[in-house]
Amino acid sequence: MLAHCIVPPTVLAHVRYVRPPADSPDPLGFLLGVLSNPGHLLLLAAGGVAVLVLIAVWARWRPFEARRRAAIARAEGYWPFVPWMLRLSGGLLLLGAGTTRVLFAPDVTPQGWPYVLLTALGFLLLLGVGVRLAAVAGLAFYGVGLWIQPALVEIWDVAGALAAAAVVGAGRPSLDDMLAAAVPGRTAAAVGAGEPDERQRDLVALIVRLGLGGALLASGIVDKLLVYNRALDAVDHYGLTSVVPVDPGMWVVGAALVESGLGLAILAGVLTRASAVLGFAVLTLALFALPDDPVIAHVGLFGLSSILVVTGGGRWSVDALLRRLEPA
């Protein structure tokens, strides 16, 4: 059985990829201890106020609005590439996991056949062959893995990429699309290479938001707070307090708030494109700050961030609600 093919890690965290295990017996006590320091509270309050002021200034005066709208219009024109971007996001992660013999996450190691299936599904997605079936199979495999090993919640972005790929199909370029032209009876619409309707666009935006926002929220809560001793060890190991000179505990809580805040904003669809761009920047900084962090852990996050720049929040988002409330 698959349950006997997995060697589980001891804790759930992104920093588990770069630091050894560390017991964290009292996450709530750790958080309250950091927040009990008046200086820490003042710093957090100042950061929160600064963010709110920036949003209020933008909402009131809308600087560079014409350029922003032009950039959004150009980004929306990239929709035909979204299926390809989804296949790359999910396919590269599955292929990388399979070829390095890990089960989605870099520290969850399958023994036996699972890595072969991951490799095959990754190739199918990248080549664009039977994409919907491959995506559903990969999603089911991830669901089984998550049930067996809850640590995989931090790779929740792969669920978003695979679910969205199952909705849109292969798109272009893909072997499915080429076969649609060469094989009688196959159509471009059948492989997802046709023009999508508005509902499909909105559904993809929602699924991608759930995948990316959920992964960032899980990283902020699990990675930084539930296993705070490991996060503190990472701050010390990489000398992060020399980059931002604050108490290590404040470093961990601040990182947790940033990731969790971005995750919640993306889940709700608040300033979706800006949140996605900021998330992309945070992920890029993390790669440089934690040089031992494997790239495979971020492929899906980078891909879904890029896709949200194209799709925006979609119909089922706070952004859309606010647009409907604007005076004509």
Side-chain angles (χ1 to χ4, degrees):
M1 293 179 64
L2 181 60
H4 300 295
C5 298
I6 300 174
V7 179
T10 57
V11 293
L12 316 178
H14 252 292
V15 291
R16 70 178 185 265
Y17 306 146
V18 296
R19 300 307 301 148
D23 291 332
S24 302
D26 188 11
L28 182 59
F30 164 72
L31 177 61
L32 294 177
V34 172
L35 296 181
S36 66
N37 185 313
H40 294 167
L41 282 178
L42 181 61
L43 187 59
L44 290 174
V49 169
V51 170
L52 292 176
V53 167
L54 285 174
I55 293 175
V57 168
W58 173 82
R60 174 64 179 84
W61 286 284
R62 298 291 181 99
F64 310 110
E65 182 65 9
R67 295 181 183 180
R68 186 184 74 87
R69 290 183 179 275
I72 290 175
R74 178 63 62 88
E76 289 175 342
Y78 293 160
W79 170 264
F81 300 107
V82 166
W84 191 17
M85 295 164 73
L86 286 167
R87 285 166 37 215
L88 289 173
S89 301
L92 286 173
L93 197 154
L94 265 60
L95 183 60
T99 53
T100 55
R101 301 196 175 191
V102 300
L103 187 66
F104 297 104
D107 66 338
V108 182
T109 308
Q111 298 174 353
W113 57 267
Y115 77 89
V116 178
L117 178 58
L118 287 174
T119 302
L121 292 175
F123 269 120
L124 289 176
L125 289 171
L126 291 177
L127 293 173
V129 180
V131 167
R132 286 192 169 100
L133 181 60
V136 170
L139 191 60
F141 194 27
Y142 173 79
V144 173
L146 181 63
W147 176 70
I148 296 170
Q149 178 47 271
L152 294 181
V153 70
E154 293 230 26
I155 315 294
W156 184 252
D157 47 292
V158 72
L162 293 173
V167 171
V168 300
R172 296 190 180 103
S174 67
L175 286 181
D176 272 353
D177 183 54
M178 295 175 64
L179 291 173
V183 178
R186 291 175 65 87
T187 64
V191 298
E195 185 65 24
D197 58 29
E198 199 65 28
R199 185 172 294 274
Q200 187 185 65
R201 289 175 181 253
D202 292 329
L203 180 58
V204 168
L206 175 61
I207 293 172
V208 171
R209 280 173 32 221
L210 293 175
L212 177 60
L216 288 173
L217 185 60
S219 179
I221 294 175
V222 176
D223 188 22
K224 307 305 184 298
L225 297 181
L226 295 187
V227 288
Y228 58 88
N229 274 332
R230 175 172 279 186
L232 289 171
D233 183 46
V235 170
D236 177 68
H237 178 77
Y238 294 106
L240 299 181
T241 54
S242 64
V243 180
V244 179
V246 296
D247 177 78
M250 183 60 192
W251 230 109
V252 173
V253 172
L257 289 174
V258 169
E259 289 189 347
S260 300
L262 283 173
L264 288 172
I266 290 171
L267 282 172
V270 179
L271 298 175
T272 306
R273 288 188 171 91
S275 297
V277 170
L278 185 55
F280 195 104
V282 168
L283 292 167
T284 302
L285 289 174
L287 283 180
F288 287 100
L290 306 177
D292 302 327
D293 202 358
V295 176
I296 187 177
H298 298 83
V299 168
L301 297 171
F302 280 119
L304 296 191
S305 298
S306 302
I307 290 167
L308 280 185
V309 174
V310 176
T311 66
R315 181 187 310 174
W316 302 295
S317 67
V318 173
D319 287 344
L321 176 62
L322 293 177
R323 284 195 300 270
R324 289 194 291 269
L325 295 177
E326 287 180 354

